[in-house]
Amino acid sequence: MIKNEIIKLLKGRKNLLAFSYGSDSTALFYILMDLKIEFDLVFINYKTRKNSDIEELEAKNLAKNFGKKIFIQNAPCFKNNFEKKARDFRYAFFEELCHKEKYENLILAHQLNDLFEWFLMQFSKGAGLAELIGMKESLKCKTFTLVRPLLFVSKDEILSFLKERGLKYFNDESNEDEKYFRNFIRKHFARTFVSKFPKGVKKSFKYLNKDLKNLLGDESEILEFGGIFICKKHESLVSKAVKKMGFVMSEAQRKEALKGDCVISGKVGVVYVKDDLENEKALIFNYELCEKLPKSFKEKCRRAKIPKLIRAYLHNHHLEPEDLNHLILKFFGKKDE
């Protein structure tokens, strides 16, 4: 069920599984156990449902029964835009935890239906190739690798696995609430389509990923450094990175962002730098001002060839220009010396 290259990525490493006790993460828990892959658990309690505390208690019991360490975090109350705020909260906690506890891999239970739902959601809004297939089986982050072992496994396959093994899991009733766009897409389009054409959907995503790599080479990813997103200068990638900042650009703004250094709606800065191979990279960040930059800092920025629009952000967040420059060169093809 899990690809050999993913197994090799996880074997012998320090792994953390994002666990909810839903069908997907429960199936993944037992699959990893079968493969004798070591891992600990992290559980986020949003306290939005009757079963939230019960699921937390059961997750603790499961961890205890199998000798697993578990980290529990309660989320604050999000009054609006719940999906985005909840996602931002959990990923921030995951990143903090991986850094603190030295986890090498963060394992997520996203599966084929999630991948197709994302595709349809982006397709409905108008998106490019990089945005349509945003989920990856493995993705290098700043201090860990994000791994999705079930990304090409359908929901039906997961449910069959759980049923055959007689394994307990919890259903999240909020997944049926159509006020959330993802649930609407799932109930009316994705669930039935993937159930009818699972092989075709898997093949299509494999071809799309291959096409994206051919289009962008090995630079189809978006890196993150101190709240700055870094990617190749490509419309879909820049748009995707800006969206990570919580802002969806119009068609006119997408064109503006590709012309050169700019600020979108006074909120999101976009600047461009060149690597050693003279290829342009986009830096996307929250646009900020600083009353007066120290001369020594401005000189550091000048030497590192850092654009003026982003200098205040670097200074305000205590980020070194040399570190940013080094990251760009390291990950985007520095010439052999």
Side-chain angles (χ1 to χ4, degrees):
M1 193 177 279
I2 297 180
K3 294 180 181 178
N4 287 331
E5 52 263 40
I6 297 297
I7 295 173
K8 289 179 183 178
L9 182 61
L10 298 175
K11 281 272 189 179
R13 302 289 180 87
K14 190 172 183 181
N15 304 307
L16 182 67
L17 171 64
F19 188 74
S20 67
Y21 228 135
S23 58
D24 303 336
S25 61
T26 301
L28 186 51
F29 178 100
Y30 287 99
I31 291 169
L32 294 174
M33 291 293 300
D34 290 345
L35 293 169
K36 295 180 171 50
I37 291 173
E38 294 295 326
F39 62 94
D40 293 320
L41 305 174
V42 56
F43 183 97
I44 308 291
N45 189 341
Y46 296 102
K47 293 187 176 290
T48 55
R49 300 173 292 108
K50 292 185 296 183
N51 284 337
S52 294
D53 290 336
I54 296 173
E55 290 163 11
E56 177 184 323
L57 179 60
E58 290 293 324
K60 288 179 180 177
N61 291 335
L62 183 70
K64 183 178 179 181
N65 291 338
F66 285 89
K68 302 289 183 188
K69 186 185 294 185
I70 185 168
F71 300 91
I72 306 289
Q73 179 70 10
N74 292 327
C77 178
F78 303 117
K79 293 183 179 179
N80 50 55
N81 202 5
F82 176 83
E83 284 186 302
K84 181 185 183 303
K85 289 181 178 178
R87 183 187 185 283
D88 290 346
F89 175 82
R90 65 176 173 269
Y91 276 95
F93 180 68
F94 292 159
E95 183 175 347
E96 178 187 342
L97 187 58
C98 286
H99 177 69
K100 181 181 177 182
E101 300 292 334
K102 304 277 192 293
Y103 284 105
E104 298 170 89
N105 295 312
L106 172 65
I107 308 174
L108 303 179
H110 291 131
Q111 31 80 3
L112 185 66
N113 292 58
D114 294 319
L115 182 60
F116 189 59
E117 288 162 16
W118 173 264
F119 177 92
L120 291 178
M121 289 168 68
Q122 302 311 307
F123 193 79
S124 72
K125 300 170 185 175
L129 185 57
E131 297 155 286
L132 290 171
I133 52 173
M135 289 188 191
K136 304 291 183 183
E137 285 181 287
S138 65
L139 179 65
K140 278 276 187 184
C141 299
K142 189 163 55 175
T143 59
F144 61 90
T145 298
L146 191 154
V147 186
R148 298 181 174 99
L150 300 180
L151 198 57
F152 286 89
V153 180
S154 72
K155 186 74 166 184
D156 288 344
E157 290 175 290
I158 288 169
L159 293 176
S160 294
F161 171 83
L162 293 167
K163 185 176 180 181
E164 288 169 8
R165 299 277 290 267
L167 297 172
K168 172 185 176 181
Y169 64 92
F170 290 87
N171 279 316
D172 183 348
E173 60 270 20
S174 67
N175 285 333
E176 301 300 317
D177 189 345
E178 291 187 33
K179 74 178 181 181
Y180 300 117
F181 185 46
R182 179 181 287 277
N183 293 345
F184 174 81
I185 292 292
R186 177 183 299 135
K187 288 179 68 175
H188 293 279
F189 304 103
R191 184 183 295 165
T192 303
F193 194 92
V194 177
S195 290
K196 286 184 177 290
F197 309 107
K199 291 182 180 178
V201 173
K202 291 178 187 180
K203 282 184 180 180
S204 290
F205 276 114
K206 286 177 182 176
Y207 283 128
L208 286 170
N209 275 296
K210 186 177 180 180
D211 289 344
L212 180 61
K213 189 170 183 179
N214 288 337
L215 179 66
L216 299 177
D218 291 323
E219 301 180 31
S220 59
E221 304 297 350
I222 298 174
L223 302 178
E224 189 271 338
F225 170 78
I228 302 167
F229 292 104
I230 310 168
C231 63
K232 184 177 180 179
K233 186 178 181 180
H234 183 277
E235 184 178 348
S236 289
L237 288 176
V238 172
S239 178
K240 184 179 174 184
V242 171
K243 189 173 181 181
K244 285 177 177 286
M245 311 293 295
F247 188 83
V248 179
M249 292 192 293
S250 66
E251 185 175 352
Q253 288 169 329
R254 286 168 74 122
K255 291 179 180 177
E256 179 189 353
L258 288 178
K259 288 180 180 178
D261 296 359
C262 64
V263 179
I264 305 296
S265 294
K267 297 178 181 178
V268 180
V270 181
V271 299
Y272 295 98
V273 297
K274 289 184 179 181
D275 62 19
D276 270 10
L277 301 177
E278 292 298 307
N279 296 313
E280 283 193 283
K281 309 303 172 198
L283 309 182
I284 294 93
F285 56 98
N286 282 318
Y287 178 63
E288 297 179 5
L289 297 174
C290 179
E291 285 189 11
K292 189 175 182 181
L293 290 174
K295 287 185 179 180
S296 59
F297 188 81
K298 286 196 287 187
E299 179 59 22
K300 284 183 181 180
C301 289
R302 187 192 65 78
R303 288 199 304 267
K305 298 180 180 178
I306 301 298
K308 291 182 179 180
L309 276 180
I310 198 173
R311 292 178 182 181
Y313 180 92
L314 295 178
H315 182 263
N316 292 344
H317 293 266
H318 310 291
L319 300 171
E320 288 295 328
E322 294 90 341
D323 291 342
L324 176 59
N325 188 45
H326 175 71
L327 182 72
I328 294 166
L329 295 177
K330 179 181 177 183
F331 284 96
F332 290 111
K334 187 176 181 180
K335 289 179 179 177
D336 295 329
E337 296 180 352

